[in-house]
Amino acid sequence: MRTSVALSLLGAAATGVAAQSQKPLPTAVAVNNNPVGLVAEAVLPGNNIKGKVVVKSGDGGVGTQFNIELSGIPEDGPFTYHIHVNPVPENGNCSATLAHLDPTERGEDPVCDKSKPETCQVGDLSGKYGAITKGQTTFSASYLDKYASLVEGTGAYFLNRSIVFHYPNKTRITCANFKITNAGPAPFRFQPTGTGISSAAPIGTNPAQTTGGAPSPSGTMPVEAGASFSTSSMTSVVAALLGGAMMLML
Ligand SMILES: *[C@@H]1O[C@H](CO)[C@@H](O)[C@H](O)[C@H]1NC(C)=O
Ligand SMILES: *[C@@H]1O[C@H](CO)[C@@H](O)[C@H](O)[C@H]1NC(C)=O
Ligand SMILES: *[C@@H]1O[C@H](CO)[C@@H](O)[C@H](O)[C@H]1NC(C)=O
Ligand SMILES: [Cu+2]
């Protein structure tokens, strides 16, 4: 009797210890305010794997769409790839990009569980969406990632960082920096005599913005302009429809 009580207490204590050592992994924050229309790409230098990784804001600024097209892939895969913390320096040294983008600081272990992408390192793209399998000489992938951020100033922001491809032994094969190719619509400015929203302002593709850092001169967010215009035009459409319906009812 005493023995069994003691044993069950021991059992409970052991269970407690096991539960403690499996602390839940931190979860990444889903990004819903990426700048609509923003497009960037990382073009590989092409001395082995060729191709590029194009990223853009998901619909309505929700998540980041990744489109990857590669060719000339060596035979000795599988290859993993990640967003790394630092950019590639001028000399192309992929080692200088340091570790994976990991704003939640969950670390490398345990390995990423694809079914719980929010618990993976934000930069562990092959962990979340699959590696380049052995034997394929070309690779294309397209997916929406909820956690990588296009919002400057946030920990998961990655357009000032790099993408790195690895051999199975983790040696770095190739790497490239992201460059903004389209900053998205310029801030909307109200023009009383204007005939159309599209003529309101030039598209913001000035090179200063592609190197990152400088906010747009007006300091307003480029994103909301189109959205608020279409909201107001939607409102008037709805109002017109409602008006029509009421006329019919009378
Ligand atoms: C590349 O970067 C790593 C890490 O910063 C450094 O240790 C190494 O010396 C660099 N190699 C070259 C060739 O610059
Ligand atoms: C990239 O941008 C983020 C957010 O703005 C910042 O915290 C980080 O230090 C930057 N990293 C580099 C390498 O510039
Ligand atoms: C890793 O693998 C590549 C390709 O097979 C090879 O060229 C390289 O020497 C290996 N590096 C190490 C450190 O074993
Ligand atoms: Cu990596």
Side-chain angles (χ1 to χ4, degrees):
M1 183 61 184
R2 273 206 190 135
T3 321
S4 71
V5 168
L7 275 177
S8 59
L9 282 173
L10 263 178
T15 313
V17 169
Q20 262 183 3
S21 70
Q22 288 181 336
K23 268 205 324 203
L25 288 164
T27 54
V29 181
V31 183
N32 299 318
N33 61 336
N34 282 325
V36 174
L38 181 65
V39 185
E41 61 184 34
V43 180
L44 296 175
N47 27 26
N48 37 49
I49 300 177
K50 296 169 182 54
K52 62 182 176 179
V53 177
V54 179
V55 297
K56 58 186 181 193
S57 191
D59 285 348
V62 177
T64 299
Q65 179 68 38
F66 284 77
N67 293 310
I68 305 176
E69 291 291 342
L70 306 174
S71 64
I73 301 170
E75 304 276 294
D76 44 357
F79 305 105
T80 56
Y81 65 99
H82 321 103
I83 298 169
H84 280 232
V85 175
N86 275 359
V88 185
E90 292 278 318
N91 66 7
N93 181 358
C94 296
S95 300
T97 63
L98 304 183
H100 302 163
L101 174 60
D102 183 19
T104 64
E105 299 183 346
R106 55 92 76 198
E108 297 282 324
D109 295 313
V111 295
C112 165
D113 175 353
K114 273 192 184 63
S115 70
K116 300 190 189 90
E118 73 281 5
T119 67
C120 297
Q121 292 180 318
V122 168
D124 187 2
L125 298 176
S126 58
K128 289 188 273 188
Y129 307 105
I132 303 166
T133 55
K134 189 181 173 73
Q136 62 185 136
T137 56
T138 62
F139 175 77
S140 63
S142 185
Y143 47 80
L144 185 78
D145 182 88
K146 293 183 184 165
Y147 312 103
S149 172
L150 302 173
V151 182
E152 224 180 321
T154 60
Y157 180 69
F158 69 98
L159 296 184
N160 59 348
R161 310 184 193 270
S162 58
I163 191 148
V164 178
F165 293 80
H166 299 261
Y167 285 115
N169 64 11
K170 303 230 168 100
T171 296
R172 301 170 186 206
I173 310 173
T174 187
C175 54
N177 290 334
F178 289 95
K179 298 237 163 23
I180 296 173
T181 55
N182 187 341
F188 171 65
R189 289 175 198 90
F190 180 64
Q191 292 196 331
T193 56
T195 50
I197 187 78
S198 57
S199 64
I203 301 299
T205 46
N206 94 57
Q209 285 175 312
T210 68
T211 51
S216 57
S218 69
T220 54
M221 285 296 293
V223 188
E224 316 298 352
S228 65
F229 176 77
S230 56
T231 307
S232 67
S233 56
M234 282 289 281
T235 311
S236 39
V237 169
V238 170
L241 285 173
L242 274 177
M246 283 172 70
M247 300 262 291
L248 284 176
M249 283 162 71
L250 287 173

